[in-house]
Amino acid sequence: MLQLSATFDLQQDVVSSIFKKEATVGIIKEYSGIVDTRILNIERDGGVLYSWKGETGTTRIGKYDPNTRQNKLLYTFDKQVCVSSCSLNKEETLLAVSLAQRTRTEERLRPVSKCLTLLIEIHPINNTKVLKAVDCRVRVQFLHPDTERDSVLESHLLLVAEDGYVEQLHVMLVRQEGYRVVMLSPECLAKDRVAEDFSWVQWDSQTQRLFYLTHREKAVLKCVQFCHDRNCETLFELVLELPSNPFTCMRFVNLGFDHHQETQHEREEMRMVVITNNTGSMCVCYSQPACVNQEITYTIVLVHRGCSKTFSVALDGTPSPCSTDLLPLFIPIGYYVVVYLSGHFLHCINTRQQELLCHSLFLSGVDAELGVLGSDSVVLSLPESSLLDLNTGRMYTVDLNPSFLMDLLHCSHRRPDSQRLAALHCLLLYMGPNAALELKIIDWICDNVMPFDTFDQIQEFILASLYRIIYKKCLSLDEVLPYSSVFEKKKVPETLDQVPGVTCTTELHAEPVFKGKARSLQGYWEELQWSTEKMKYFEAVPNPRYRASQNLPDWTKLLTTLKSKNKKASNYLRHIEENTKQVLSMVDSWNLDQKVVPLFQEEDSQQRALIGLLELIRRMLESVWLKYKLGPLVLCLKQRGSSAEWAVFHVMCRILEATKTLCLPLPPDLDNSDANEELKFSILKRLPESMEQRICHLWDHPISSACISRDYVRGLLEKHDKTKVTLSYSASTNQLYNHQFNITKSRK
């Protein structure tokens, strides 16, 4: 199901490189001289920080650069130390290190702090400053802000303490002698308290966000956003329904790897992770270990959907006591969250189309195995769809396997319909557009042309493909666009809404609170706010998603009108035909190496309108024609056809049957009658501005022309930095737009 691609191997990329380099200069003579090599941290640029102990009694810290595939020595301790946390600033001039200290027998009478945190100048190696000497673990992490400046003489360091607080240190730097970079006034570094009183904390290096969990009366998840101007602010809060006292000791997520933590810290009472996507989605995933009843429960809080889904899975095998081995991994892959429990199951959860279980994929047994990972592997999930095997020191990128998904489609006699439907949607939506995959899917449809018991594969192909095309143009329409024909059924078949051994409960969730700059920031926070606000509206509207059955009466009435012979119907038909020609003129621009379907070469616009309105249908028939190698031959109903012609004719009949049930093809643009104008205006006022602008270019109307002119003039004014005039002009033209709309309404 998942394909893993190795991106880093500690032995090959680091240990062998160190051996070759040090053996050359005679420092070591064999591999045994490089011992205890451990991964410490992975920075935002993908660089891997690691430590190793040499036979001379030293401890060294290095960095592996995945871009150049080169190793670089950063610092050497002249004795063996236990490095529990490490981070390197973006300019590679400062190294922050936390050392775990153990009291030796001869030193028991002297007090020794358990953790010593240092800040070291390494460009070149120079001064060392002690930041903390405390009796709790401290994780260190430099900020890596986005900046266009080549040389930055300041760095910002997070100190995340096991006692439940985060400090941000501001380190000012100065350049000496043209190349030396040293701290300016290291004795008095400025610092801020960022967060406190938490029991769980997660760092997101790619977005420079810090999530943490406080638990007083209720569990509250908070998020701090760090900006390039050294400022940070708590922008987000969300109340979570968690078990009481979920974490008895501090949990660090994505803050490096402490190989020297004490035994009592090793057992996890609960695993939790926050997964975000740049399209504006946020998922909070958590689970507790499976216990004696051999059932594991995990929850996915879909913040962008305003709900949570809790799954319970019955595990096979001999009952065993609670253990961390039975805690699943949560792996982000695009808009899927993969829940993986080694040796038991793999659940690929669709966080975009989450209404039914059949649009997520649940696998167990051999299907759920990850071949390259052994049964004794200790695997951690990393950001950016990656895994780390701590035992072997290997890292992998993870993605869904299209070959496996295609095999699911073909193995119809051994697979439930729910798995085939989930695989089909994953191939079309997540992996599309992909011409090669699309051809394979059409080929599969031709081989399985009759509908399945629970869904029509042709309808699913059409709706899922159209959804993907429109969704990319306007994300805000995802809650109203149809993406599956399953919703057209009066009752969803049980085999599509149930998975053997898996139960699912859905609950509405508390609304998140956006604070401070979150309401004005663009990008991720803007999209997440829009998604949550949108869900408030849809919760109050029953069945907001478009259904073809709702349109069936009007569609049938239109077909009846087109078949009538009265004068009014003839004029309406001519209007539709003219608009159809315009639509087809754009469809004809579709680039094919060779057009072989003869029906699309006819001059009869009525015939072309019936089958050529949808470019998608055109592509399907083109693929079918090529599959059966009909070439330029025209299907003839007056003589016996070949087996290939019969197969193509059968596919065409099935396409017509599938599209008729979906009320397709939809009629082209309405004319500008008074009633239709009012309808168009009401639609335009509800569309996002970007989509409204595209529609205006397609609609020949005075208001459309005014909008296009307004945008053109506004662009010219903004180009010349005439801000005040731009705002004034924009306001007046918006008033004109609303005034014209009101005039249109008053004419009724």
Side-chain angles (χ1 to χ4, degrees):
M1 172 59 185
L2 301 183
Q3 58 182 13
L4 276 62
S5 303
T7 57
F8 174 79
D9 187 311
L10 188 64
Q11 291 298 317
Q12 293 183 6
D13 295 325
V14 173
V15 175
S16 62
S17 174
I18 294 173
F19 175 76
K20 291 177 182 177
K21 184 178 295 185
E22 297 196 351
T24 302
V25 295
I27 298 178
I28 57 176
K29 297 181 179 179
E30 53 187 20
Y31 264 77
S32 59
I34 307 172
V35 298
D36 206 19
T37 308
R38 299 182 177 185
I39 298 175
L40 301 175
N41 200 0
I42 302 170
E43 297 290 7
R44 185 182 185 183
D45 60 359
V48 180
L49 301 182
Y50 55 87
S51 66
W52 80 95
K53 296 178 181 179
E55 58 184 9
T56 58
T58 59
T59 301
R60 301 183 182 185
I61 296 177
K63 177 189 176 182
Y64 172 78
D65 188 332
N67 298 314
T68 63
R69 303 184 68 85
Q70 297 295 317
N71 289 278
K72 178 181 180 180
L73 175 64
L74 299 176
Y75 190 75
T76 301
F77 291 94
D78 57 8
K79 63 179 180 178
Q80 291 195 351
V81 296
C82 300
V83 183
S84 63
S85 181
C86 181
S87 185
L88 179 68
N89 70 341
K90 187 176 181 179
E91 295 73 31
E92 300 189 0
T93 57
L94 292 176
L95 183 69
V97 178
S98 277
L99 305 179
Q101 300 190 113
R102 295 190 176 96
T103 305
R104 299 175 184 172
T105 304
E106 65 273 13
E107 296 176 342
R108 286 180 179 176
L109 298 178
R110 292 189 301 169
V112 176
S113 58
K114 292 183 179 180
C115 179
L116 183 66
T117 304
L118 307 173
L119 184 59
I120 307 170
E121 298 171 350
I122 60 171
H123 191 76
I125 295 174
N126 198 15
N127 297 321
T128 298
K129 176 177 173 58
V130 177
L131 298 178
K132 283 188 179 296
V134 292
D135 287 332
C136 68
R137 292 178 297 164
V138 177
R139 299 289 177 97
V140 292
Q141 180 61 58
F142 274 105
L143 302 184
H144 283 222
D146 292 315
T147 178
E148 297 180 355
R149 290 180 293 175
D150 295 332
S151 178
V152 180
L153 292 178
E154 61 178 317
S155 288
H156 309 282
L157 174 66
L158 298 182
L159 302 180
V160 187
E162 185 182 26
D163 285 350
Y165 66 87
V166 178
E167 292 179 342
Q168 180 181 196
L169 270 64
H170 307 286
V171 185
M172 306 307 295
L173 302 170
V174 62
R175 192 178 300 277
Q176 295 178 349
E177 301 174 9
Y179 72 100
R180 297 168 58 90
V181 178
V182 299
M183 290 180 277
L184 181 65
S185 303
E187 66 281 355
C188 54
L189 299 179
K191 64 180 179 180
D192 305 320
R193 181 65 64 98
V194 174
E196 56 189 0
D197 297 330
F198 56 83
S199 57
W200 172 95
V201 61
Q202 173 181 319
W203 173 245
D204 190 333
S205 62
Q206 294 302 314
T207 60
Q208 300 288 282
R209 299 187 191 119
L210 186 78
F211 294 92
Y212 64 96
L213 184 73
T214 63
H215 203 295
R216 294 176 182 172
E217 295 180 359
K218 291 185 177 181
V220 180
L221 177 70
K222 301 183 180 183
C223 178
V224 178
Q225 177 72 66
F226 293 88
C227 305
H228 65 276
D229 58 359
R230 75 180 277 175
N231 292 324
C232 65
E233 185 176 357
T234 301
L235 301 183
F236 174 88
E237 293 184 359
L238 177 68
V239 176
L240 295 174
E241 297 295 332
L242 297 178
S244 59
N245 195 24
F247 300 100
T248 57
C249 61
M250 178 62 61
R251 288 296 163 197
F252 301 100
V253 180
N254 299 338
L255 280 163
F257 315 104
D258 187 354
H259 302 272
H260 304 283
Q261 60 187 6
E262 297 177 5
T263 306
Q264 62 264 30
H265 292 139
E266 293 179 358
R267 184 179 179 275
E268 288 185 82
E269 304 89 349
M270 184 168 132
R271 180 168 291 167
M272 176 171 152
V273 64
V274 179
I275 296 174
T276 60
N277 187 287
N278 56 11
T279 58
S281 68
M282 176 186 289
C283 297
V284 184
C285 314
Y286 57 87
S287 175
Q288 291 179 296
C291 292
V292 178
N293 62 357
Q294 286 293 282
E295 183 179 79
I296 192 164
T297 299
Y298 47 95
T299 299
I300 311 293
V301 181
L302 304 165
V303 180
H304 57 291
R305 289 289 190 252
C307 68
S308 65
K309 287 186 172 290
T310 299
F311 302 89
S312 295
V313 179
L315 302 180
D316 297 329
T318 305
S320 60
C322 299
S323 69
T324 55
D325 294 337
L326 293 182
L327 267 174
L329 289 176
F330 299 102
I331 309 170
I333 302 179
Y335 58 81
Y336 284 94
V337 172
V338 175
V339 185
Y340 172 66
L341 186 61
S342 177
H344 293 278
F345 68 85
L346 186 150
H347 194 180
C348 191
I349 300 174
N350 189 332
T351 67
R352 184 178 292 172
Q353 290 89 35
Q354 79 289 345
E355 289 97 328
L356 299 176
L357 285 178
C358 59
H359 294 113
S360 298
L361 187 57
F362 184 88
L363 300 169
S364 59
V366 178
D367 292 337
E369 293 180 359
L370 301 183
V372 297
L373 300 178
S375 58
D376 59 342
S377 296
V378 179
V379 183
L380 299 178
S381 178
L382 305 177
E384 302 298 304
S385 303
S386 300
L387 294 178
L388 169 63
D389 186 342
L390 280 177
N391 283 356
T392 62
R394 295 191 183 102
M395 286 197 296
Y396 307 88
T397 57
V398 189
D399 206 349
L400 303 180
N401 189 336
S403 298
F404 179 87
L405 295 174
M406 285 302 306
D407 288 342
L408 283 185
L409 295 183
H410 286 288
C411 298
S412 57
H413 61 286
R414 294 189 293 108
R415 299 289 183 176
D417 284 357
S418 59
Q419 286 190 358
R420 288 202 297 272
L421 184 58
L424 179 60
H425 274 259
C426 185
L427 288 166
L428 290 171
L429 292 174
Y430 171 73
M431 297 185 175
N434 184 310
L437 274 180
E438 191 174 78
L439 286 175
K440 291 181 180 179
I441 294 171
I442 294 174
D443 186 72
W444 169 75
I445 290 176
C446 292
D447 294 337
N448 301 269
V449 71
M450 296 305 294
F452 294 115
D453 294 335
T454 56
F455 69 92
D456 187 317
Q457 61 271 39
I458 296 180
Q459 291 182 345
E460 293 298 316
F461 178 82
I462 293 172
L463 289 180
S465 299
L466 291 177
Y467 176 89
R468 183 196 69 235
I469 294 169
I470 301 175
Y471 179 85
K472 289 187 176 181
K473 295 180 180 179
C474 185
L475 302 181
S476 59
L477 295 179
D478 65 329
E479 281 299 310
V480 295
L481 292 173
Y483 61 86
S484 176
S485 63
V486 175
F487 295 103
E488 299 293 340
K489 300 180 181 294
K490 292 182 179 180
K491 183 180 179 181
V492 178
E494 291 185 357
T495 53
L496 292 184
D497 202 28
Q498 294 181 3
V499 176
V502 181
T503 60
C504 175
T505 58
T506 303
E507 297 178 352
L508 294 178
H509 208 273
E511 295 180 12
V513 177
F514 296 94
K515 307 177 69 175
K517 292 182 181 179
R519 296 191 174 277
S520 60
L521 290 178
Q522 294 182 342
Y524 173 78
W525 292 109
E526 181 183 33
E527 293 295 337
L528 181 59
Q529 288 180 78
W530 166 243
S531 296
T532 55
E533 290 293 331
K534 181 176 57 178
M535 293 311 302
K536 294 180 186 177
Y537 170 78
F538 288 127
E539 287 171 7
V541 179
N543 301 321
R545 200 175 295 281
Y546 169 84
R547 284 177 167 82
S549 55
Q550 298 170 339
N551 198 39
L552 186 59
D554 293 333
W555 193 76
T556 305
K557 182 179 178 181
L558 173 63
L559 293 181
T560 304
T561 303
L562 293 177
K563 293 177 182 178
S564 66
K565 297 182 179 180
N566 60 57
K567 183 177 180 181
K568 182 178 180 181
S570 298
N571 292 334
Y572 188 48
L573 178 59
R574 281 196 297 272
H575 173 73
I576 288 182
E577 288 178 358
E578 291 301 319
N579 281 339
T580 300
K581 291 178 182 179
Q582 295 181 14
V583 174
L584 288 173
S585 66
M586 290 184 287
V587 174
D588 283 338
S589 64
W590 175 54
N591 56 339
L592 270 179
D593 295 334
Q594 183 181 12
K595 293 183 179 180
V596 296
V597 183
L599 292 176
F600 292 148
Q601 298 166 6
E602 298 290 339
E603 296 299 327
D604 185 349
S605 59
Q606 284 183 299
Q607 178 181 330
R608 296 178 75 216
L610 290 176
I611 59 174
L613 268 178
L614 293 173
E615 181 182 326
L616 189 64
I617 304 298
R618 185 176 193 156
R619 195 154 61 238
M620 286 181 67
L621 286 181
E622 190 77 29
S623 301
V624 172
W625 224 266
L626 292 172
K627 173 182 172 62
Y628 289 99
K629 301 178 181 179
L630 290 188
L633 298 177
V634 178
L635 293 175
C636 181
L637 303 180
K638 296 181 180 180
Q639 63 186 31
R640 185 178 182 86
S642 65
S643 59
E645 290 177 306
W646 167 250
V648 171
F649 181 72
H650 191 192
V651 172
M652 293 171 65
C653 290
R654 279 285 295 116
I655 291 175
L656 288 175
E657 178 188 352
T659 54
K660 181 179 179 181
T661 309
L662 296 176
C663 300
L664 295 174
L666 296 174
D669 292 342
L670 302 173
D671 61 13
N672 288 332
S673 64
D674 291 347
N676 288 339
E677 270 194 358
E678 183 174 354
L679 175 62
K680 292 177 184 180
F681 277 124
S682 66
I683 293 173
L684 277 174
K685 287 179 71 67
R686 288 170 171 80
L687 291 176
E689 185 178 355
S690 58
M691 178 167 282
E692 177 188 335
Q693 293 173 355
R694 291 200 298 268
I695 296 298
C696 284
H697 284 273
L698 299 176
W699 184 24
D700 184 14
H701 192 276
I703 297 300
S704 296
S705 301
C707 291
I708 295 171
S709 301
R710 175 196 64 188
D711 293 335
Y712 177 73
V713 175
R714 180 170 59 184
L716 290 178
L717 294 176
E718 289 175 348
K719 188 176 180 180
H720 291 84
D721 296 326
K722 297 182 179 179
T723 307
K724 293 183 179 180
V725 179
T726 302
L727 294 175
S728 174
Y729 185 82
S730 176
S732 63
T733 49
N734 276 321
Q735 291 174 1
L736 172 63
Y737 181 91
N738 292 326
H739 177 64
Q740 292 286 353
F741 175 65
N742 293 330
I743 290 177
T744 303
K745 289 184 65 178
S746 66
R747 292 192 317 204
K748 312 300 182 289

